[in-house]
Amino acid sequence: MLNDLSIQDLTGNIPALIAVVLLVLLALTAVAGPYVVSYDPLAMDLDSLRQPPGKAHLLGTDSKGRDILARVVYGSRISLAVGIIASALSLCIGIFFGLIAGYFGGKTDAVLSQFFDIFLAFPSLLLAIGISAVMSAGLTSAMLAISLVGWAGFARLVRSITLSLKEQTYVEASRALGAAPARILYRHILPNALPLILVAGSLRVGGFILLEAALSFLGLGVQPPTPTWGSMISLNRAYINSSPWMVIFPGLAISVTVISFNILGDFLRDKLDPRMQV
């Protein structure tokens, strides 16, 4: 099904095309940060406190005189890294346990399914806060916390797909020929489940970015002075009435990124999910 995607499909879907362009520009800006902005995101300028957007500072400065554009650009590195890496870690954990639960069934499935339900019973933000509070605050802790929050949903999805695929004729034929369970899972079930897994992963990246912003806002994510979009909003929220640009621009960055990932996920779902085909 992955081969069914083409450039024509993307160009024929204007919202998805715009989302891809925005995400590519965001990724390029994050990678080429030092070449995009001329200001140090950590450098304070007491002579430029809370300056509105203008020629010298395109997006203005914050309460410590730091250039907001530079901080938004460097903050995109954290948000994209957390969103993509946390999604990948969650997928790996979820795929592993989901395949085992779905293929072997019986008591194995029952025990693992109960384990999935325990994680899914907690609200994502509440569980992420609890995990982050136990570990020391930082980028690695934020990634691990978000990964541990999201893996159970992926495991549930992979389990349901595996339950369906293991009854297919080609799987039964491989089992009859004496193929080991690991080989059947790796060579037959996982490749056929991969399109739906990628769709689910792309849809969750935006949510993970939003979750990282929430943790940073609460002081449980990456610690200052390292710029993140969530911490920028948290540190400057007291000036939202007098200097709204300090909150608007990082908030806009979060919104555009999350919406773009969600639109891209919807596009992939429409193209790769057999249930969406007419």
Side-chain angles (χ1 to χ4, degrees), residues 110-202:
V111 172
L112 289 177
S113 294
Q114 290 296 322
F115 197 50
F116 302 159
D117 292 340
I118 291 174
F119 275 84
L120 293 173
F122 292 93
S124 298
L125 180 58
L126 181 62
L127 183 57
I129 291 174
I131 296 173
S132 298
V134 173
M135 300 184 292
S136 58
L139 178 59
T140 302
S141 299
M143 288 183 182
L144 289 176
I146 295 172
S147 300
L148 293 175
V149 166
W151 74 272
F154 291 132
R156 270 291 184 188
L157 172 65
V158 175
R159 171 188 173 274
S160 64
I161 297 173
T162 304
L163 286 172
S164 175
L165 292 177
K166 76 174 184 178
E167 302 299 332
Q168 298 297 316
T169 304
Y170 57 86
V171 175
E172 294 181 355
S174 297
R175 192 181 300 118
L177 291 172
R183 179 178 176 82
I184 293 174
L185 290 171
Y186 178 72
R187 294 295 299 273
H188 300 292
I189 293 180
L190 182 57
N192 287 283
L194 195 57
L196 293 180
I197 294 173
L198 292 178
V199 170
S202 64

Side-chain angles (χ1 to χ4, degrees), residues 39-45 62 64-67 70-71 74 223-228:
Y39 290 96
D40 184 343
L42 303 181
M44 294 184 290
D45 185 359
D62 65 6
K64 294 180 174 56
R66 296 172 296 195
D67 185 74
R71 293 180 65 78
Y74 278 83
Q223 297 300 294
T226 302
T228 67

Side-chain angles (χ1 to χ4, degrees), residues 58-74:
L58 294 180
L59 301 185
T61 61
D62 65 6
S63 57
K64 294 180 174 56
R66 296 172 296 195
D67 185 74
I68 291 179
L69 175 59
R71 293 180 65 78
V72 168
V73 168
Y74 278 83

Side-chain angles (χ1 to χ4, degrees), residues 4-273:
D4 294 338
L5 285 176
S6 65
I7 298 298
Q8 288 74 16
D9 292 329
L10 185 60
T11 55
N13 189 317
I14 300 302
L17 180 61
I18 295 175
V20 170
V21 171
L22 289 175
L23 291 175
V24 170
L25 290 176
L26 181 65
L28 292 176
T29 301
V31 172
Y35 305 99
V36 175
V37 294
S38 56
Y39 290 96
D40 184 343
L42 303 181
M44 294 184 290
D45 185 359
L46 299 182
D47 294 327
S48 303
L49 300 180
R50 298 166 56 190
Q51 284 192 357
K55 185 176 180 180
H57 301 277
L58 294 180
L59 301 185
T61 61
D62 65 6
S63 57
K64 294 180 174 56
R66 296 172 296 195
D67 185 74
I68 291 179
L69 175 59
R71 293 180 65 78
V72 168
V73 168
Y74 278 83
S76 65
R77 295 180 170 184
I78 303 296
S79 296
L80 289 177
V82 169
I84 294 174
I85 295 176
S87 182
L89 289 175
S90 294
L91 276 174
C92 291
I93 300 172
I95 289 172
F96 178 77
F97 288 105
L99 287 174
I100 293 176
Y103 184 80
F104 291 101
K107 292 184 178 180
T108 302
D109 183 24
V111 172
L112 289 177
S113 294
Q114 290 296 322
F115 197 50
F116 302 159
D117 292 340
I118 291 174
F119 275 84
L120 293 173
F122 292 93
S124 298
L125 180 58
L126 181 62
L127 183 57
I129 291 174
I131 296 173
S132 298
V134 173
M135 300 184 292
S136 58
L139 178 59
T140 302
S141 299
M143 288 183 182
L144 289 176
I146 295 172
S147 300
L148 293 175
V149 166
W151 74 272
F154 291 132
R156 270 291 184 188
L157 172 65
V158 175
R159 171 188 173 274
S160 64
I161 297 173
T162 304
L163 286 172
S164 175
L165 292 177
K166 76 174 184 178
E167 302 299 332
Q168 298 297 316
T169 304
Y170 57 86
V171 175
E172 294 181 355
S174 297
R175 192 181 300 118
L177 291 172
R183 179 178 176 82
I184 293 174
L185 290 171
Y186 178 72
R187 294 295 299 273
H188 300 292
I189 293 180
L190 182 57
N192 287 283
L194 195 57
L196 293 180
I197 294 173
L198 292 178
V199 170
S202 64
L203 285 170
R204 291 302 300 273
V205 172
F208 287 162
I209 290 175
L210 198 59
L211 190 55
E212 182 278 327
L215 291 177
S216 294
F217 181 85
L218 296 172
L220 296 173
V222 181
Q223 297 300 294
T226 302
T228 67
W229 294 339
S231 64
M232 290 175 65
I233 295 175
S234 177
L235 293 172
N236 297 306
R237 66 185 186 276
Y239 304 97
I240 190 170
N241 292 323
S242 59
S243 306
W245 61 86
M246 294 192 295
V247 174
I248 288 176
F249 290 117
L252 188 61
I254 295 173
S255 300
V256 170
T257 304
V258 172
I259 291 173
S260 296
F261 271 111
N262 288 342
I263 292 175
L264 178 59
D266 288 337
F267 167 75
L268 293 176
R269 181 191 59 192
D270 293 340
K271 294 299 179 182
L272 299 179
D273 191 341

